[in-house]
Amino acid sequence: MTTIKLSPPKPPVDAAQGPLARRWLQALFATSHRAPWIPLLLRPLATTVALRCSPQVRNAVESNARRLIARPLSPNESWHFCNRVVGRFYDFVCDVGRCQGQTPQQLRARIDSVEGHDEYLAARSNQKGAIIVTAHMGSFELGLAALTEIEPNVH
Protein backbone atom coordinates (compact mmCIF):
# COMPACT_ATOMS: atom_id res chain seq x y z
CA MET A 1 0.00 0.00 0.00
CA THR A 2 1.31 3.46 -0.97
CA THR A 3 0.73 6.48 1.23
CA ILE A 4 0.48 9.90 -0.36
CA LYS A 5 0.89 12.89 1.88
CA LEU A 6 -0.67 16.10 0.64
CA SER A 7 0.69 19.37 1.91
CA PRO A 8 -0.32 22.90 1.06
CA PRO A 9 1.50 24.37 -1.89
CA LYS A 10 4.53 26.48 -1.06
CA PRO A 11 4.17 30.16 -1.88
CA PRO A 12 6.32 31.43 -4.72
CA VAL A 13 9.66 32.88 -3.70
CA ASP A 14 8.52 36.43 -4.46
CA ALA A 15 5.22 36.21 -2.56
CA ALA A 16 6.68 38.31 0.26
CA GLN A 17 7.35 41.13 -2.19
CA GLY A 18 3.68 42.16 -2.25
CA PRO A 19 3.87 44.42 0.83
CA LEU A 20 7.36 45.57 -0.14
CA ALA A 21 6.19 46.48 -3.64
CA ARG A 22 3.23 48.40 -2.20
CA ARG A 23 5.52 50.35 0.13
CA TRP A 24 7.90 51.08 -2.74
CA LEU A 25 5.07 52.43 -4.92
CA GLN A 26 3.66 54.52 -2.06
CA ALA A 27 7.10 56.00 -1.45
CA LEU A 28 7.53 56.69 -5.16
CA PHE A 29 4.14 58.43 -5.38
CA ALA A 30 4.90 60.56 -2.33
CA THR A 31 8.41 61.47 -3.46
CA SER A 32 7.18 62.30 -6.97
CA HIS A 33 4.69 64.70 -5.44
CA ARG A 34 7.03 66.37 -2.94
CA ALA A 35 10.43 66.23 -4.65
CA PRO A 36 10.02 65.19 -8.31
CA TRP A 37 13.73 65.53 -9.03
CA ILE A 38 14.57 62.58 -6.76
CA PRO A 39 12.68 59.91 -8.78
CA LEU A 40 14.12 61.41 -11.95
CA LEU A 41 17.64 60.85 -10.63
CA LEU A 42 16.78 57.34 -9.42
CA ARG A 43 15.08 56.22 -12.66
CA PRO A 44 18.04 54.34 -14.23
CA LEU A 45 18.81 52.54 -10.98
CA ALA A 46 15.15 51.77 -10.23
CA THR A 47 14.43 50.24 -13.63
CA THR A 48 17.60 48.14 -13.55
CA VAL A 49 16.91 46.89 -10.01
CA ALA A 50 13.31 46.04 -10.91
CA LEU A 51 14.42 43.93 -13.86
CA ARG A 52 17.33 42.24 -12.10
CA CYS A 53 15.52 41.52 -8.81
CA SER A 54 12.05 40.56 -10.01
CA PRO A 55 11.82 37.57 -12.31
CA GLN A 56 8.06 38.15 -12.56
CA VAL A 57 8.53 41.64 -13.99
CA ARG A 58 11.20 40.52 -16.44
CA ASN A 59 9.25 37.41 -17.53
CA ALA A 60 6.01 39.36 -17.97
CA VAL A 61 7.65 42.04 -20.11
CA GLU A 62 9.57 39.47 -22.17
CA SER A 63 6.35 37.52 -22.70
CA ASN A 64 4.64 40.66 -23.98
CA ALA A 65 7.60 41.34 -26.27
CA ARG A 66 7.21 37.88 -27.82
CA ARG A 67 3.54 38.64 -28.53
CA LEU A 68 4.15 42.14 -29.90
CA ILE A 69 7.36 41.83 -31.90
CA ALA A 70 7.36 39.69 -35.02
CA ARG A 71 10.92 38.41 -34.66
CA PRO A 72 12.78 36.96 -31.71
CA LEU A 73 14.87 39.49 -29.80
CA SER A 74 18.50 38.94 -28.96
CA PRO A 75 19.28 38.95 -25.22
CA ASN A 76 20.63 42.50 -25.57
CA GLU A 77 17.55 43.69 -27.48
CA SER A 78 15.30 41.99 -24.94
CA TRP A 79 17.07 43.72 -22.05
CA HIS A 80 16.74 47.13 -23.71
CA PHE A 81 13.08 46.51 -24.57
CA CYS A 82 12.29 45.45 -20.98
CA ASN A 83 14.20 48.42 -19.59
CA ARG A 84 12.20 50.84 -21.77
CA VAL A 85 8.86 49.25 -20.79
CA VAL A 86 9.67 49.31 -17.06
CA GLY A 87 10.95 52.86 -17.50
CA ARG A 88 7.65 53.95 -19.05
CA PHE A 89 5.77 52.42 -16.13
CA TYR A 90 8.10 54.21 -13.72
CA ASP A 91 7.44 57.50 -15.57
CA PHE A 92 3.69 56.89 -15.32
CA VAL A 93 3.86 56.25 -11.57
CA CYS A 94 5.93 59.40 -11.09
CA ASP A 95 3.45 61.39 -13.16
CA VAL A 96 0.54 60.16 -11.04
CA GLY A 97 2.47 61.26 -7.96
CA ARG A 98 3.11 64.72 -9.43
CA CYS A 99 -0.62 65.10 -10.21
CA GLN A 100 -1.73 64.51 -6.61
CA GLY A 101 -3.53 67.54 -5.25
CA GLN A 102 -3.40 69.54 -8.47
CA THR A 103 -6.49 71.31 -9.74
CA PRO A 104 -7.81 70.64 -13.24
CA GLN A 105 -6.45 74.05 -14.28
CA GLN A 106 -2.97 73.15 -12.99
CA LEU A 107 -3.11 69.83 -14.82
CA ARG A 108 -4.20 71.49 -18.06
CA ALA A 109 -1.30 73.95 -17.77
CA ARG A 110 1.08 70.97 -18.07
CA ILE A 111 -0.29 69.94 -21.50
CA ASP A 112 1.98 70.95 -24.38
CA SER A 113 -0.38 70.12 -27.23
CA VAL A 114 -3.61 68.31 -28.04
CA GLU A 115 -3.95 66.26 -31.23
CA GLY A 116 -7.35 65.85 -32.84
CA HIS A 117 -9.10 68.72 -31.02
CA ASP A 118 -10.93 70.00 -34.11
CA GLU A 119 -11.92 66.48 -35.16
CA TYR A 120 -13.27 65.83 -31.68
CA LEU A 121 -15.37 69.00 -31.75
CA ALA A 122 -16.74 68.04 -35.20
CA ALA A 123 -17.71 64.55 -34.00
CA ARG A 124 -19.16 66.05 -30.82
CA SER A 125 -21.34 68.44 -32.81
CA ASN A 126 -22.72 65.40 -34.70
CA GLN A 127 -23.30 63.61 -31.37
CA LYS A 128 -21.25 60.63 -32.54
CA GLY A 129 -18.31 58.71 -31.20
CA ALA A 130 -16.74 57.93 -27.88
CA ILE A 131 -13.47 58.79 -26.20
CA ILE A 132 -11.47 56.33 -24.20
CA VAL A 133 -8.57 57.66 -22.15
CA THR A 134 -6.18 55.14 -20.69
CA ALA A 135 -2.87 55.35 -18.93
CA HIS A 136 -1.27 53.52 -21.86
CA MET A 137 -1.93 56.46 -24.14
CA GLY A 138 -0.32 58.98 -21.84
CA SER A 139 -1.10 60.54 -18.54
CA PHE A 140 -4.67 59.66 -17.60
CA GLU A 141 -4.95 62.60 -15.23
CA LEU A 142 -3.79 65.13 -17.81
CA GLY A 143 -6.03 63.62 -20.49
CA LEU A 144 -9.02 63.73 -18.19
CA ALA A 145 -8.30 67.34 -17.23
CA ALA A 146 -8.15 68.30 -20.90
CA LEU A 147 -11.31 66.39 -21.75
CA THR A 148 -13.38 67.83 -18.91
CA GLU A 149 -12.60 71.32 -20.15
CA ILE A 150 -14.78 70.72 -23.22
CA GLU A 151 -16.81 67.65 -22.27
CA PRO A 152 -19.09 68.05 -19.25
CA ASN A 153 -20.31 64.44 -19.31
CA VAL A 154 -17.34 62.19 -18.47
CA HIS A 155 -17.76 58.75 -16.87
Side-chain angles (χ1 to χ4, degrees):
M1 180 173 201
T2 303
T3 304
I4 299 174
K5 181 178 178 185
L6 298 176
S7 58
K10 294 182 180 179
V13 174
D14 289 341
Q17 289 181 351
L20 179 61
R22 278 192 294 281
R23 284 193 294 276
W24 160 248
L25 284 175
Q26 289 169 344
L28 186 55
F29 282 132
T31 306
S32 296
H33 180 65
R34 291 182 184 92
W37 59 273
I38 293 173
L40 185 62
L41 283 175
L42 293 176
R43 185 184 192 272
L45 176 64
T47 56
T48 299
V49 168
L51 286 172
R52 293 211 189 273
C53 295
S54 177
Q56 286 100 339
V57 169
R58 191 174 50 257
N59 291 338
V61 177
E62 286 174 342
S63 176
N64 284 335
R66 285 190 296 275
R67 289 185 193 102
L68 296 171
I69 301 174
R71 63 177 180 77
L73 298 179
S74 71
N76 189 42
E77 289 172 322
S78 179
W79 172 259
H80 287 292
F81 176 83
C82 291
N83 204 350
R84 286 191 312 267
V85 169
V86 171
R88 297 287 190 242
F89 176 73
Y90 184 90
D91 293 342
F92 167 72
V93 171
C94 291
D95 193 49
V96 169
R98 282 190 298 272
C99 291
Q100 290 178 353
Q102 291 188 338
T103 66
Q105 293 80 13
Q106 290 170 317
L107 293 172
R108 283 193 282 277
R110 292 178 51 200
I111 298 171
D112 292 327
S113 65
V114 175
E115 294 179 18
H117 183 264
D118 295 337
E119 292 83 356
Y120 171 76
L121 293 178
R124 178 85 169 86
S125 69
N126 293 329
Q127 297 182 341
K128 293 184 179 185
I131 294 196
I132 299 171
V133 180
T134 73
H136 299 290
M137 295 171 65
S139 173
F140 180 79
E141 287 75 14
L142 297 181
L144 188 59
L147 184 59
T148 57
E149 187 174 36
I150 57 175
E151 179 59 58
N153 197 12
V154 176
H155 302 282

